């Protein structure tokens, strides 16, 4: 293809800005349409992006000659239907995680793109962050031996808006395991590189007992070789400014540890002592480049099968929170427990 | 009672090549001016280690624990590191003789047995202090004080990791050995009983040993903790059987404590090695503080009931590992 890939962005909420910025930095692709159900928000986004064409009807954009691919940034419960529409239109897709909010829908999306010979990638952006790539490379180097334990915590204070936010509605977001927890589950499964066996999870509503979702998650994944991955995800910590990531990988030959302060300087000012994060690579830009490479025929860094597994892991975590019992992945992936 | 605490060191059992009496307790006791080593004795193991220690420290070596207890030596405290299978019997014998006990950990083979010992110590009116010394470390003690003082509000979650590099793996796995330490620390930090335990990990590894074990504990009042513990391979610049990771994160309603329990320590770089050098008092010294207070005042922050509480959690964890299901820890007696 001689011209840059024409890309539609569907859903112009805050995460869309990160994808659009990544597009702007890529010579191989360009933003051609914006789509959103809310006309006012859509018009403002189109204005911010140089008057790019905008529509509330995805079909109108998909029918345009200058559209080759789609980036979906809409609420989680809409992902599957939009993805199937994109596949039917013959376009490639990058969809914000999770791929869908049920295992059956995730499978249907994967199958549709496979049948059409199109590329679909779920935006598990953490795979494109420096720390995650470093861990993957270190594990693959064999230096740690066989991995027996992963401990990953991504913790923060409350960032979500008021009670009306769709992320707080389980029916729309799928719950916190599917909305944010799925990042950690995907990383753990990716790093372990083996078949997940079970998930046991605990959730808590720390910020308010009136929440409909758990804002603190402890999700423990075990794989078929007996390795354990403890994935802790929080929007519950205090003070609300608390931002903390912690990582520990144990193998039969060594230990890899990335402490919270290891990627930051300390700044002491009138607000006290706080971490000053290092300037790291733009994960969204790396992810976009990987997606374009996959469309061009390169092996995907985020195969759709992994995205289906991530959905299954998150669904298992949510179910385990509700039942208090471990959930076997085989049951979910085979459809027996879906 | 006034003056120095007179000590009988009995039992030289250990795991693998470990010999806690010889390597830990005797050096600490003899270096502490508050204690006076007066005799040693084997418990059920061969007499060689006891005789060597007696010769090294210039004290009497009795033929057995029974013989030592019947001798006319003036002894206040028995520092007991009996072989694991004889531990409860040995503690019982010492308690019935009216002596205070510093007992190597684990105190007994079961929580039920530990509870019997704790009750006997209370009945006799002597101190029975289990060697849960990691809870007495400088950082852990500070964190405990801060949490109990309300610095972070009400705690709602604790994450704990203890990974030890090198050394001899415990024959029954580290759930029955090392895991006692972080579980005890978490119990001390929260002071909240455990209601439910789920355990996973600890898979047998192809080259021998076990993967780390993970414990998910539900405490009263909806508080939760997660404890990871295990022995990893020998690592460069880490002394055998010392922690490569030992830390606690306590989340509370008004803040968070992040604690590296290997501190306070300096970093030593030389042409030959890079290692941490502890700058504070050792946890063993702190344990002797607790023992001394128990003998001299009858009060201590560490009692045999702490061993009972930790033992119940570990037994529930062992059952959970076997079944793959969470276990109501209140069903463990």
């Amino acid at each position: 293809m001689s011209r840059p890939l024409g890309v539609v962005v569907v859903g112009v909420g805050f995460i869309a800005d990160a994808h659009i910025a990544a597009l702007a930095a890529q010579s191989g692709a360009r933003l051609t349409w914006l789509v959103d159900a809310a006309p006012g928000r859509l018009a403002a986004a189109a204005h911010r992006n140089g008057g790019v064409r905008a529509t509330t009807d995805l079909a109108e954009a998909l029918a345009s000659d200058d559209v080759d691919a789609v980036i979906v940034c809409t609420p989680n419960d809409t992902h599957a239907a939009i993805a199937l529409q994109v596949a039917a239109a013959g376009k490639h897709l990058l969809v914000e995680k999770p791929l869908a909010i049920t295992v059956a829908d995730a499978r249907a999306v994967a199958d549709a793109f496979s049948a059409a010979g199109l590329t679909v990638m779920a935006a598990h952006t953490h795979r494109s962050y420096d720390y995650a790539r470093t861990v993957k490379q270190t594990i693959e180097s064999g230096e740690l031996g066989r991995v027996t334990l992963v401990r990953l915590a991504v913790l923060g204070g409350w960032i979500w808006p008021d009670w009306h936010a769709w992320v707080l509605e389980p029916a729309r977001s799928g719950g916190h395991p599917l909305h944010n927890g799925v990042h950690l589950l995907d990383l753990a499964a990716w790093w372990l590189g083996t078949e997940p066996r079970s998930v046991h999870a605990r959730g808590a509503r720390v910020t308010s007992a009136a929440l409909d979702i758990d804002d603190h998650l402890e999700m423990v994944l075990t794989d078929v070789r007996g390795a354990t991955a403890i994935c802790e995800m929080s929007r519950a910590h205090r003070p609300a400014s608390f931002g903390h990531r912690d990582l520990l990988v144990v193998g039969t030959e060594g230990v890899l540890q990335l402490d919270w302060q290891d990627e930051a300087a300390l700044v002491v000012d009138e607000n006290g002592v706080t971490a000053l994060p290092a300037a790291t690579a733009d994960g969204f830009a790396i992810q976009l480049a990987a997606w374009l490479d996959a469309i061009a025929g390169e092996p995907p860094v985020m195969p759709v099968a992994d995205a289906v597994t991530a959905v299954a892991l998150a669904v298992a975590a949510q179910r385990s929170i509700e039942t208090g019992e471990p959930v076997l992945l085989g049951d979910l992936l085979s459809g027996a427990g879906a | 009672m006034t003056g120095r605490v007179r000590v009988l060191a009995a039992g030289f059992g250990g795991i693998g090549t470990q010999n806690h009496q010889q390597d830990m307790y005797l050096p600490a006791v003899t270096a502490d001016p508050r204690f006076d080593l007066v005799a040693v004795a084997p418990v059920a193991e061969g007499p060689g280690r006891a005789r060597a220690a007696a010769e090294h420290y210039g004290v009497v070596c009795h033929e057995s624990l029974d013989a030592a207890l019947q001798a006319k030596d003036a002894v206040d405290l028995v520092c007991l590191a009996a072989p694991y299978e004889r531990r409860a019997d040995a503690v019982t014998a010492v308690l019935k003789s009216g002596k205070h006990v510093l007992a190597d950990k684990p105190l007994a083979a079961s929580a039920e047995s530990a509870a019997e010992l704790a009750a006997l110590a209370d009945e006799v009116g002597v101190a029975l202090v289990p060697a849960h010394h990691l809870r007495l470390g400088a950082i852990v003690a500070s964190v405990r004080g801060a949490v109990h003082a309300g610095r972070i509000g009400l705690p709602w979650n604790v994450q704990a990791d203890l990974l030890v590099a090198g050394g001899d793996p415990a024959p029954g796995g580290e759930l029955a050995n090392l895991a006692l330490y972080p579980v005890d620390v978490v119990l001390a930090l929260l002071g909240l009983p455990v209601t439910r335990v789920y355990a996973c990990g600890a898979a047998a590894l192809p080259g021998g040993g076990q993967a780390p074990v993970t414990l998910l504990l539900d405490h009263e009042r909806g508080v939760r903790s997660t404890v990871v513990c295990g022995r990893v391979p020998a690592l460069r610049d880490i002394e055998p059987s010392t922690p490569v990771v030992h830390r606690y994160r306590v989340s509370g309603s008004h803040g968070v404590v992040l604690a590296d329990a290997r501190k306070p320590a300096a970093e030593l770089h030389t042409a030959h090695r890079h290692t941490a050098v502890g700058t504070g008092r050792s946890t063993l010294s702190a344990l002797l503080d607790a023992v001394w207070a128990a003998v001299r005042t009858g009060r201590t922050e560490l009692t045999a009931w702490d061993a009972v509480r930790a033992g119940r959690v570990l037994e529930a964890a062992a059952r959970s590992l076997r079944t793959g299901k969470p276990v109501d820890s209140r069903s463990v007696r």
Side-chain angles (χ1 to χ4, degrees), chain A residues 146 148-149 151 153 155 200 202-204 206 216 218 220 228 230 232 237-238 244 246 250 252 257 259 324-326, chain B residues 156-157 159-161 163 196 198 201 206 212 217-218 224-226 228 232-233 247 249 251 253 255-256 324-326:
Chain A
R146 174 171 148 183
T148 58
L149 175 82
R151 214 187 201 308
L155 311 178
H200 180 73
R202 298 186 293 186
V206 179
H216 181 259
E218 292 173 292
V220 179
T228 303
I230 305 158
E232 188 188 1
H237 275 75
R238 296 292 175 274
H244 180 80
D246 183 74
V250 178
T252 53
Q257 192 170 3
D259 279 335
E325 300 289 329
Chain B
W156 53 269
N157 187 273
Q159 302 288 316
D161 298 310
L163 295 173
R196 196 168 190 256
Y198 175 74
L217 311 181
D218 290 332
R224 289 160 174 165
S225 62
T226 299
V228 170
V232 301
R247 60 185 184 169
R249 168 161 38 87
S251 300
S253 60
V256 183
K325 299 282 188 183

Side-chain angles (χ1 to χ4, degrees), chain A residues 146-300:
Chain A
R146 174 171 148 183
V147 175
T148 58
L149 175 82
V150 171
R151 214 187 201 308
L152 173 62
V154 176
L155 311 178
W158 187 257
I159 61 163
W160 290 321
D162 70 13
W163 298 102
H164 301 92
W166 66 264
V167 293
L168 304 184
E169 292 181 46
R172 303 208 69 192
S173 68
H176 201 188
L178 267 161
H179 187 65
N180 277 161
V182 73
H183 274 307
L184 285 67
L185 292 165
D186 174 60
L187 282 182
W190 184 47
W191 290 333
L192 289 172
T194 54
E195 189 182 335
R197 198 183 76 82
S198 71
V199 175
H200 180 73
R202 298 186 293 186
R205 297 170 189 191
V206 179
T207 300
S208 169
L211 284 170
D212 291 326
I213 63 163
D214 297 299
D215 55 353
H216 181 259
L217 306 173
E218 292 173 292
M219 303 171 292
V220 179
L221 179 164
T222 56
D223 77 359
V224 291
R225 295 199 306 188
T228 303
I230 305 158
C231 301
E232 188 188 1
M233 176 78 228
S234 176
R235 293 295 183 203
H237 275 75
R238 296 292 175 274
S241 57
F242 182 70
H244 180 80
R245 190 191 65 225
D246 183 74
L247 175 58
L248 175 69
V249 183
V250 178
T252 53
E253 303 294 329
V255 176
L256 175 69
Q257 192 170 3
L258 184 58
D259 279 335
W260 66 278
Q261 75 273 31
D262 287 346
E263 287 189 322
L266 289 178
V267 60
V268 183
D269 61 13
E270 300 301 339
N271 298 316
V273 181
T274 50
L276 187 63
T280 54
D282 179 357
F284 281 84
I286 292 171
Q287 175 180 259
L288 186 75
W291 178 53
L292 296 177
D293 287 346
I295 291 171
E298 295 292 320

Side-chain angles (χ1 to χ4, degrees), chain B residues 83-100:
Chain B
Y84 188 56
E85 62 279 7
R86 295 294 304 277
R87 197 160 288 180
D89 290 345
V91 173
T92 301
V94 178
L95 292 176
K96 286 184 173 174
S97 77
K99 314 287 190 218
H100 303 286

